[in-house]
Amino acid sequence: MTETLFAQQAEPSITPEVVLEEVFGYKTFRDGQKEVIDSVVSGQDCIVIMPTGGGKSLCYQIPALVCKGLTIVISPLISLMKDQVDQLKANGVSAECINSTMTREELSSVYSRMQMGQLKLVYLSPERVLMRDFVERLETLSLSMIAVDEAHCISQWGHDFRPEYASLGQLKQQFPHVPIMALTATADEATRNDITQRLQLREPHVYLGSFDRPNIRYTLLEKHKPISQIIRFVTGQKNQCGIIYCGSRKKVEMVTEKLCNNHIRAASYHAGLDTDERAYVQEAFQRDDIQIVVATVAFGMGINKPNVRFVVHFDIPRNIESYYQETGRAGRDGLPAEAMMLYDPADMGWLRRMLDEKDEGPQKQVESHKLNAMSAFAEAQICRRQVLLNYFGQYSDKPCGNCDICLDPPKHFDATDQARKAISCVYRVNQSFGIGYVVEVLRGMQTSRIREHGHDKLSTYGLGRENSHDYWVSIFRQLIHKGMLTQNITRNSTLQLTEEARPLLRGNMILELAVPRLDTAARTAKSDKLTSKNYDKKLFAKLRKLRKSIADEDGLPPYVVFSDATLIDMAEILPTSYGEMLAVSGVGQRKLEKYADPFLDLIQEHVSYHG
């Protein structure tokens, strides 16, 4: 299937399944993709919550090719737009982006092709799409859909609220019959409701995908000699690609220098560098010319590189959403990946002081709630994956076996009595207060606030005075992670009971919790590795080398040619014909025509020599 077909209005006979296989080279849909695609094709608004690497982009790219008309994709970063457009073009799809770096002639060309119906997808920023002249231009076209990527940016409850996103609700007023799809990797219930309201979506189909990325190992280490720890970790990664996040530009520069001094191919990326230098670093990383990018949070949202094998946090992030998105940049190809964080409780104190300096208001309360949740994650005593999944409302009662807590478990004890005291106290104060206050009541503190509310008369007052403040905070956090309590972000993080707490209160269950570690929750993970597929490692190395030379010749990042997962599939299946090559995941008709021959020749040569 060629670009000329997809430059025109799609034929009614083209099905999502045909597009998936012939354009993108995949045989089956991932969880949720088909139901979302069917919903938007039928004209329904959609909210799509899928983890990084979960296949969000296909949810709007496939309908764009199935339906007649133009699909508009709103995205916050030029690099993200360019990356997606490059990959679409490599698959034979007629797509373009509109951004501030384009010349007048380039803009004119894109507008002309839009007018003539020669484009299926156009990517642009929220600021651009709301310009009056652009809206007027869209009114003359046949629109099939509007996709809003990184949709959490529209919500005041989201971790990355952006004012320029706030006005996107105008689009529904302007184009009431055009379905809108909002997509993000991270959104709790408050954020999802806010997205629906602000975009004025009408009874949207909501797909809440699993937030689980089982191929990523989550590890937290106590930060004691951070540079030595980083160098030791990176050396153990054997030239694999990775990202190291630091909390400041100064630390970025320092870590980069130390890595380079140890003969590791690393480069810095932060907002203090000029545009050309940032573009060079990003491009070199995409093309595997740089092994490691050391960055502030300015780096990453535009990265669609599937073979990032590890993400390191030199400093603790400000919220779980950022941590989840940043670690999610590892292992997008589904292969084993590492997420390692260095943690010093003093870093959390520094973040709290920074937050204290901000003006009082709803935004500060949101940030405080999210910072507390991040602190709870770092000091967690139960499976880290459970903590992450439970934070996003996906309650899991089974440990993952692939995080530092599971691999080096803390001691457990029968905490039924303590948990019942804690939950009862939340209930007795009418589920209207946060952790700190409930702990004070439980420990029988003599404060004017407790006396004013009359909570010194409660049956639970002073029931926990034999244990320290930190002890009870650990118990409450574990109960939150277990899904028995929740913190309501829309009500100043007040503790509230869930249905999961009922059996405990009725005396119908025994609950085990981890013995609170009152110094730090940092611990070292065991070094056993995830087992991978059984494929020819020598052939895989040769295929990567061939991919790099082809990519350099075409001026593309290597993964645009084929992903690591596709090369591993080749090294396992050993295709020697076009038909067998099409059976490889990630090989579609266009890529077969363009790239198959040299890869088939290499595989044939390797098999003959080693056969």
Side-chain angles (χ1 to χ4, degrees):
M1 213 169 275
T2 62
E3 182 170 351
T4 50
L5 172 59
F6 287 121
Q8 307 304 319
Q9 307 293 1
E11 301 296 330
S13 60
I14 297 171
T15 65
E17 288 78 6
V18 168
V19 174
L20 179 74
E21 183 163 356
E22 298 200 8
V23 179
F24 297 101
Y26 300 117
K27 308 298 178 285
T28 55
F29 286 104
R30 293 189 188 182
D31 289 347
Q33 287 179 328
K34 184 63 166 62
E35 60 186 85
V36 169
I37 289 166
D38 287 346
S39 296
V40 78
V41 166
S42 70
Q44 189 176 6
D45 292 338
C46 294
I47 293 181
V48 182
I49 317 293
M50 282 186 183
T52 304
K56 288 190 296 295
S57 56
L58 288 184
C59 289
Y60 58 83
Q61 289 172 351
I62 288 177
L65 303 183
V66 169
C67 299
K68 292 187 176 183
L70 176 70
T71 290
I72 294 296
V73 184
I74 299 164
S75 181
L77 284 180
I78 292 174
S79 55
L80 188 59
M81 300 180 207
K82 182 180 180 301
D83 197 37
Q84 294 230 352
V85 168
D86 282 347
Q87 291 193 62
L88 284 168
K89 287 179 173 178
N91 282 313
V93 177
S94 189
E96 291 292 349
C97 59
I98 296 174
N99 62 58
S100 56
T101 68
M102 297 169 70
T103 65
R104 185 170 296 192
E105 290 74 20
E106 288 170 333
L107 272 174
S108 178
S109 170
V110 172
Y111 288 150
S112 174
R113 292 172 67 197
M114 282 168 59
Q115 209 68 44
M116 292 189 287
Q118 293 177 349
L119 293 175
K120 293 303 296 175
L121 294 106
V122 171
Y123 288 71
L124 69 169
S125 68
E127 298 94 336
R128 172 81 62 167
V129 79
L130 293 172
M131 287 182 178
R132 181 175 292 180
D133 64 325
F134 191 80
V135 171
E136 288 172 357
R137 193 181 295 274
L138 289 182
E139 286 172 339
T140 67
L141 304 175
S142 171
L143 288 183
S144 63
M145 175 179 40
I146 297 170
V148 181
D149 205 4
E150 307 293 345
H152 59 272
C153 295
I154 203 169
S155 170
Q156 64 169 326
W157 306 116
H159 67 286
D160 192 20
F161 174 61
R162 299 186 179 207
E164 64 270 23
Y165 261 69
S167 305
L168 289 176
Q170 297 172 25
L171 292 172
K172 199 61 178 175
Q173 297 173 1
Q174 209 74 36
F175 305 99
H177 304 299
V178 177
I180 292 178
M181 182 184 290
L183 307 100
T184 179
T186 49
D188 55 20
E189 187 178 5
T191 304
R192 294 196 294 274
N193 293 338
D194 212 22
I195 289 170
T196 302
Q197 190 178 348
R198 286 174 180 252
L199 284 178
Q200 300 180 35
L201 305 183
R202 296 169 186 167
E203 297 181 5
H205 170 87
V206 179
Y207 177 76
L208 182 59
S210 170
F211 287 93
D212 193 9
R213 295 284 305 280
N215 60 313
I216 297 178
R217 170 173 294 176
Y218 298 105
T219 303
L220 187 144
L221 297 179
E222 184 174 0
K223 186 192 281 189
H224 55 92
K225 291 184 178 177
I227 295 299
S228 300
Q229 289 171 291
I230 293 280
I231 290 170
R232 195 179 312 121
F233 177 83
V234 168
T235 305
Q237 295 297 313
K238 297 177 181 173
N239 295 315
Q240 297 283 10
C241 291
I243 304 170
I244 299 174
Y245 286 107
C246 299
S248 68
R249 298 176 190 179
K250 190 176 177 181
K251 286 183 184 176
V252 166
E253 299 287 356
M254 181 266 290
V255 172
T256 305
E257 184 182 347
K258 298 290 186 186
L259 290 174
C260 291
N261 289 345
N262 281 271
H263 312 292
I264 295 165
R265 289 176 297 132
S268 297
Y269 188 105
H270 56 70
L273 301 171
D274 64 46
T275 307
D276 289 345
E277 191 164 356
R278 290 204 304 272
Y280 165 76
V281 171
Q282 183 155 321
E283 189 105 339
F285 184 61
Q286 301 271 56
R287 296 185 179 188
D288 293 348
D289 293 332
I290 290 173
Q291 180 195 350
I292 294 169
V293 171
V294 187
T296 56
V297 291
F299 181 79
M301 197 187 284
I303 290 295
N304 195 22
K305 184 178 169 68
N307 66 328
V308 175
R309 294 269 66 85
F310 63 89
V311 168
V312 174
H313 282 90
F314 191 85
D315 302 301
I316 189 168
R318 295 167 189 270
N319 51 67
I320 285 182
E321 287 90 343
S322 295
Y323 174 77
Y324 179 80
Q325 283 203 321
E326 287 155 16
T327 56
R329 285 161 193 149
R332 293 178 66 138
D333 51 13
L335 302 176
E338 299 263 357
M340 193 266 276
M341 178 164 73
L342 298 177
Y343 176 58
D344 180 348
D347 291 346
M348 186 56 66
W350 180 74
L351 288 177
R352 289 195 198 284
R353 285 195 297 277
M354 296 263 290
L355 185 58
D356 286 343
E357 291 172 9
K358 295 195 173 184
D359 294 335
E360 294 299 328
Q363 201 58 40
K364 183 175 179 177
Q365 290 174 3
V366 170
E367 288 182 37
S368 178
H369 171 95
K370 292 180 180 293
L371 186 59
N372 288 336
M374 190 68 231
S375 174
F377 171 82
E379 294 167 9
Q381 302 269 24
I382 71 166
C383 166
R384 295 206 190 277
R385 200 176 310 273
Q386 282 182 301
V387 177
L388 282 179
L389 297 180
N390 290 358
Y391 178 81
F392 292 115
Q394 185 182 330
Y395 297 111
S396 168
D397 57 1
K398 291 179 183 168
C400 73
N402 192 32
C403 72
D404 58 321
I405 299 286
C406 288
L407 294 166
D408 182 19
K411 292 177 183 174
H412 283 77
F413 75 111
D414 181 346
T416 309
D417 187 47
Q418 287 88 334
R420 202 175 287 143
K421 287 177 183 177
I423 290 173
S424 296
C425 196
V426 172
Y427 180 75
R428 297 288 176 199
V429 299
N430 294 321
Q431 306 179 68
S432 300
F433 296 87
I435 289 181
Y437 181 84
V438 179
V439 168
E440 287 180 351
V441 173
L442 201 52
R443 294 186 66 232
M445 295 291 102
Q446 299 281 341
T447 69
S448 56
R449 192 177 177 209
I450 287 175
R451 287 194 296 272
E452 281 168 17
H453 287 291
H455 290 158
D456 54 339
K457 306 291 191 298
L458 295 178
S459 58
T460 52
Y461 178 75
L463 277 184
R465 58 166 53 91
E466 74 278 6
N467 293 116
S468 70
H469 178 89
D470 289 346
Y471 176 94
W472 282 112
V473 168
S474 175
I475 297 295
F476 275 105
R477 283 175 172 169
Q478 291 186 64
L479 292 172
I480 292 165
H481 300 331
K482 290 278 187 189
M484 294 182 173
L485 293 173
T486 184
Q487 289 175 293
N488 188 336
I489 189 174
T490 65
R491 291 184 55 198
N492 299 320
S493 302
T494 53
L495 287 172
Q496 294 174 353
L497 277 64
T498 70
E499 285 297 313
E500 303 288 326
R502 284 185 185 275
L504 184 77
L505 288 175
R506 288 175 179 160
N508 295 337
M509 71 177 288
I510 293 171
L511 180 68
E512 284 208 339
L513 295 177
V515 177
R517 294 183 181 179
L518 303 180
D519 47 358
T520 174
R523 72 206 92 250
T524 304
K526 295 175 184 176
S527 60
D528 55 294
K529 299 290 177 184
L530 276 176
T531 53
S532 189
K533 295 169 93 176
N534 182 26
Y535 62 94
D536 188 323
K537 310 291 194 297
K538 286 184 179 176
L539 176 57
F540 174 66
K542 291 180 182 177
L543 292 170
R544 283 189 74 184
K545 196 172 178 183
L546 172 61
R547 176 185 68 177
K548 180 80 170 84
S549 64
I550 290 172
D552 287 349
E553 212 170 290
D554 289 356
L556 294 169
Y559 64 81
V560 171
V561 177
F562 289 125
S563 70
D564 274 10
T566 297
L567 297 188
I568 283 177
D569 229 22
M570 288 184 198
E572 187 176 28
I573 295 172
L574 303 176
T576 54
S577 67
Y578 283 175
E580 290 176 358
M581 185 62 99
L582 274 176
V584 172
S585 177
V587 180
Q589 197 66 43
R590 173 66 178 240
K591 287 193 176 180
L592 181 79
E593 294 166 8
K594 195 169 183 182
Y595 299 123
D597 287 339
F599 284 92
L600 286 170
D601 290 345
L602 175 60
I603 293 165
Q604 184 67 56
E605 181 188 318
H606 179 84
V607 170
S608 301
Y609 185 76
H610 294 276

